[in-house]
Amino acid sequence: MLGIIGAMDSEVQELKNEMPDAKITSVAGMDFYEGHIHDKDVVVVKCGIGKVNAAICTQILADRYKVDSVINTGVAGSLNSDIDICDIVISNDAIEHDMDVTALGYERGVIPDMDNSVFHSDSRLIDVLEEENIMRRLATSIEEANLSVKIFTGRVVSGDQFIAGKEKRDDLVNTFAGDCAEMEGASIAHAAYVNNIPCLIIRAISDKADGSAEMDYPTFEKKAAANSIKILKQLIKNL
Ligand code: ADE
């Protein structure tokens, strides 16, 4: 069973629409849609915004649904000038950027007493995307639709903050070398890690996490979210 998490309706509704016979179970205020996409067993859920909601959701997927992989789909702010609005970031790894115990001598992002604070994506899931040449094929087909979307692999940094200013954006680039910022991915990867579940984050860029983010986000959220789902569906097909 594959678990698929999005924080908002725009990030999962299209997937739910493909599962008209889904069994819906409500736990902790979240509706878990259990069914099939491309003949694969999946459970799709909107977790709500932020790291706590995302971690609760991932634990439920582990405990109740015994998922063998978790994929997070959604939108993010770009932290990399090469990565433009509507482009895709596939996570290499993910860090909780608002974890800060520097007062006690730890580096920013380091979670005290844990053996790991940089949560690596499952190489098999990345390989499925790369080996099957999905990234290139999809990039080509999206380009053909005149969207000219590029697909990157990179670092996702997550925190309970919407990043919309140059100072904070530069800080996340300089401190963590992040490629995109969002509010759930690293906590999903963290919860998956402690449960030994392979995880991957797919994010499409809705804004540049700077002074233009307030304007760009509402304009591009839906289009970006749809691009992320497009990649995800190709991945599911090839699993
Ligand atoms: N999700 C989409 N854009 C974002 C941003 N700029 N900061 C945090 N989460 C986001």
Side-chain angles (χ1 to χ4, degrees):
M1 175 85 85
L2 168 68
I4 299 171
I5 304 177
M8 301 176 295
D9 283 328
S10 62
E11 295 172 328
V12 287
Q13 191 57 49
E14 196 190 314
L15 293 170
K16 290 180 184 172
N17 292 346
E18 295 202 6
M19 305 163 63
D21 302 326
K23 178 182 173 202
I24 305 169
T25 309
S26 189
V27 187
M30 302 171 196
D31 291 335
F32 292 77
Y33 285 60
E34 202 179 340
H36 301 91
I37 296 176
H38 293 316
D39 289 332
K40 306 281 181 339
D41 291 338
V42 298
V43 51
V44 176
V45 53
K46 178 184 94 167
C47 69
I49 291 170
K51 299 198 334 287
V52 174
N53 284 324
I56 291 169
C57 182
T58 310
Q59 192 62 49
I60 294 167
L61 287 176
D63 291 343
R64 291 211 174 204
Y65 293 93
K66 313 282 181 212
V67 291
D68 46 40
S69 305
V70 175
I71 298 180
N72 175 215
T73 175
V75 299
S78 176
L79 300 175
N80 178 331
S81 51
D82 291 339
I83 307 179
D84 214 341
I85 286 176
C86 285
D87 285 349
I88 302 286
V89 178
I90 309 287
S91 60
N92 258 332
D93 56 27
I95 298 178
E96 291 159 46
H97 70 70
D98 53 357
M99 174 60 67
D100 184 346
V101 195
T102 50
L104 300 181
Y106 295 91
E107 285 187 18
R108 279 179 61 196
V110 170
I111 306 167
D113 293 339
M114 265 196 83
D115 61 350
N116 182 34
S117 303
V118 179
F119 301 101
H120 289 272
S121 299
D122 181 63
S123 56
R124 191 185 66 97
L125 290 173
I126 298 179
D127 286 350
V128 171
L129 282 171
E130 284 176 346
E131 271 171 26
E132 299 290 328
N133 231 344
I134 292 169
M135 310 243 258
R136 195 142 54 83
R137 262 197 293 131
L138 258 180
T140 308
S141 67
I142 292 169
E143 263 160 26
E144 279 162 8
N146 278 330
L147 286 168
S148 65
V149 167
K150 292 195 286 306
I151 303 173
F152 297 82
T153 49
R155 172 166 287 172
V156 175
V157 296
S158 312
D160 288 327
Q161 300 163 0
F162 185 86
I163 310 301
K166 186 178 175 334
E167 203 176 319
K168 187 67 194 175
R169 181 188 189 280
D170 289 349
D171 171 55
L172 296 181
V173 173
N174 297 332
T175 309
F176 300 107
D179 290 300
C180 70
E182 39 80 304
M183 303 175 68
E184 296 84 21
S187 67
I188 291 169
H190 178 158
Y193 172 79
V194 297
N195 286 281
N196 278 319
I197 298 170
C199 178
L200 186 73
I201 304 163
I202 302 172
R203 292 276 175 166
I205 300 303
S206 55
D207 57 83
K208 296 188 173 173
D210 57 11
S212 61
E214 274 169 65
M215 292 277 285
D216 286 342
Y217 179 84
T219 310
F220 296 109
E221 178 205 329
K222 287 192 173 58
K223 204 168 158 188
N227 280 357
S228 184
I229 287 177
K230 216 173 267 179
I231 305 287
L232 170 61
K233 286 205 286 203
Q234 286 294 323
L235 172 62
I236 296 171
K237 207 186 243 178
N238 286 274
L239 276 179

